[in-house]
Structure formats: C-alpha cells, structure tokens
Amino acid sequence: MLDIQILRSDIQSVERRLESRGFALDVARFEALEARRKSVQTRTQDLQAKRNAVSKSIGMRKAKGEDASDLLSEVSTLGDELKANEEALGKIQDALQEFLLNIPNLPHESVPYGQSEADNVEVRKWGKPGQFDFEAKDHVEIGERLGGLDFETAAKISGARFSLLKGNLARLHRALSQFMLDLHTSEHGYIETYVPYLVNAESLKGTGQLPKFEEDLFSTSSGYYLIPTAEVPVTNIVRGEILSPDSLPLKYVAHTPCFRSEAGSYGRDVRGMIRQHQFDKVELVQIAHPEKSYSVLEELLGHAEEVLKRLDLPYRVVSLCTRDMGFSAAKTYDIEVWLPAQKTYREISSCSNFESFQARRMQARFKSEGKNELVHTLNGSALAVGRTLVAILENHQLADGSVAVPEVLRPYMGGIEIIKAS
RNA sequence: GGAGAGGUGGCAGAGUGGUCGAAUGUACCUGACUCGAAAUCAGGCGUAGGCGCAAGUCUACCGAGGGUUCGAAUCCCUCCCUCUCCGCCA
C-alpha cells in the first residue's frame, strides 16, 4: 500500500510512475473521495466534540444531583446528524482504503522501463550451458524412464498439475530442500522457521495477495487460505509489531509447500512439473532497515545464486522491467536456470524488495529515535525445489538416461553418485 | 467436541454507566543530587488520524465487529484468541 500522504501531495508523479508499470491511476476518483472525506470528517469530528462536551456536563451535573434536562434535550438534536455523518464517513473511508489496497507499488528508479518480459535486463550469467553429444531429453522423459516421476498416477489421485515422485527422485527432492536449508542457516545467517501452511485473510492482505488476487489462491471451507508462498506466513511474523532497531535485519528461512490455483495459466507449461498446483520452495525473508534494503536485496539475491553455483547449474540473473514486476514489488530480480531440453533459461527464483509497501499494510515498524518507522520487507526463493529438481535432471543427465547427483547433495543421498533406472 | 475462567498501556495490574486514554507498580527517557554509578527526588513516557504556517487542538482506539445510551473499558449480541479440566487425537 502506498502512503496516502504522497497521493495527497504529489499525485501527478505517482500517476506517472504507475503508468510505467501499466497501471492507470484514477486521479479524479481519488480527488473526489478525498474532498468528500475531508468535509465529512471535519463535520463528524465537530459533532463528536460537541456531543462529548455536553455529555460530560450532564455527568458533572448529575454527580452534584442537579437537573440536566435542558442539556439532554440540547444533545438529543445532535444524534441524527451525527449518526448520518458517521455512517457516511465510514463508507468513504472504506472506499478510500479499497482504492489504496488496489494500487501496485511504485517501481524503484533503477528498474528498467519496459512493456513485457522481453524488456527485462540481463544482469549477469553464470556457468556454461552444457554441451551434450546426444539428444538432451526433458525432465519428464528422464524422470519417467528412471521410474521416479509419475504424472498419470498423480492425475488419478488429484488431477492435472500435480506430480508424484518415487524412490531416488523423491529422495533427491528431499535432499535439495535439506541442502538449501542447511546452506542458508549455517552459512548465510538465516533463522530456520516452521510455519503454518493455512493462513487467514489478514495475513494475505498484509503481503498483498488480497484483495486483488483471490482467484490465484486455494481456500478452505473454514475460511483459511493455503499459502501460495512462504512469504505470507514468514513476513507476517512481524505484522503489527514494533521492533527494536538493533534487531534488524531479521533473516528467516522456511521450507514449505506452496499452493497456487494459477487460474488463467491453462495452456502454459502443461507438460512436466514446471507449473504445478503444489510445489515446494525454500524461501528467504528479510525484515530490513529502510536505508539498507537495497544492499540487502543484493545480498539476498547472492544467497539464492549460491545454491545454483553449488549445484553446478548454469543460470542468469535478470532485472524485471516495470511491466513484468509483481504487484507489491518495488524491484525484482529473477534468477533463471538453463534448461537444455527447452534450450532456454527458465525462472527458478524471484528476489524482491517491497520497501514499505507490505510493511504499511501490516503496520510493521521499528523505533527510530523515539518515532515509529515502517520497516522494509524483502524475500526471495532459494530456490523453488521442484524446478531445481527439473534443472538437475536435465543439466546433469547422462547418455544412458541416468543422472549424476551434484556433489553437495551426495551426503543427503546416502552417497549415491548416479541415479539409475531401478 | 463438552464445562469453566479470562483478554485493559512495553510488562504487571486496578477500574462494573459519567470529569477515564484509563489508578498504581515496574521498565524506559530527561533533569537534580554524585567524581561516577546505585539509591532517592522531579518531570516525561501508547497508537492511528483530522484541522492548523506553527504553538496547538480535536477525533478514534481498553481482543475484533455490531448494538443499547445524552454518555460504554464497564451493559447486550456475534466472532476471535488464551488458560484450566474432561473427551478425542499425532
């Protein structure tokens, strides 16, 4: 959520900056709501002040045993007008709140201007896409031949866009998340967390998924939502809190499943486990001092990249352009891993600085020289586990259809070096 | 799931219709005393918002949301959460 003060003071520049990300700010509507708010609020508060003053006098007279009937008749005429004003004010404030909740974040000045994915700017590349002296197979074929990847049974159990892993591939999947958690806790200084996978609407509003993106979420009959990312429960740890400045930055890591209904994505990535209703992710979250958040973003990005380096997976980092960024982000880097079968880089991580956008929704603050100031929130996948599994199968495949296990994972795999068909 | 007890400021804890944004204690900040610290004394010390150049002033907030009343922390309704006991369960 944006600070309403900047809409009041400089709406033109807000409009311009939002236009760069394809959002048309309804300036006229805002100004009309504000004008009405101002007059109704002033009137309401005047009436409240008057009522309070008279009521207080009534109390004082009654305490002395005096008659107060003149005051009672005086204040009774206020009632209807006050009630009407209070109701009107409530409606205006709800409308303003809804208006604000549906405005995306302002892009940081360093974000490249662009219309689509094609305008994202490559920041760096690491590793060389492997050369295969045989036809590189995709992960579906590799996995099915290894007997560890079974979409048909997953479809029977649940439906489309679910997967079933077995044997060494299931173990590899577990090894990946263990490895990632261990790396981030022991070398990068994150605190491991275990969090709820079902959350309330307030938390989703805090991180920006609600009210605008309800259709992307799965929900339960009892009013809970399944988390679309660990960002939601982990970031909401600080919702409504006032932190001490020396506790910053808070660094949390969580391994969770993520559930996305991906309405509207039908037809995209229908094959394989690239786009699923359920996938695992190891997520990094930092709660940072506003002055430090951009150096924290670089650091967090580096932590995600480190996973790929240790797994020996070629990748590149791109800075998302204005139109490609998510609703809540001020700046986002995507990490894309090389997939030999598709002969292209595909997203495997997304690292963002939300500045105070989520913090304002959550009222997450810290004490700064006696005053409360909003924190900045950041997060990044490090990494999406399912897609990492895909990348390993494809990049480390061997001519005979087996797959080499990256060295750092072998301790988690009971020393297995090669996954062969069973 | 059943029965009961609760939710008040950073913490503890008063307050059951009126001058209560809220006693008191404690923590914290400032000042005095001290070479310094402790102790003591004095003052300050919640959040969000409106109006105002400012000084300031007004409004709202006692788990959340409704209601009764001239007036609600206090009464009524709904919901959430915590604790105790029982049941069930991993």
Side-chain angles (χ1 to χ4, degrees), chain A residues 30 49 69 172 192 201 208 274 310 312 333 340 370 374 396 402:
Chain A
F30 177 76
S69 52
L172 181 62
E192 183 167 350
I274 295 284
R310 300 218 187 172
D312 196 25
Y333 290 112
L374 295 167
H396 297 327
S402 58

Side-chain angles (χ1 to χ4, degrees), chain A residues 21 34 43 61 63 80 95 173 178 183 190 207 216-217 225 227 267 272 280 294 359 390-392 404:
Chain A
R21 61 186 302 164
E34 258 296 284
R43 179 71 186 144
R61 283 216 203 157
D80 288 347
H173 188 262
Q178 301 293 313
L183 173 67
Y190 290 81
T207 35
D216 295 340
L217 301 165
Y225 293 84
I227 55 170
D280 276 28
Y294 278 93
V390 167
I392 286 174

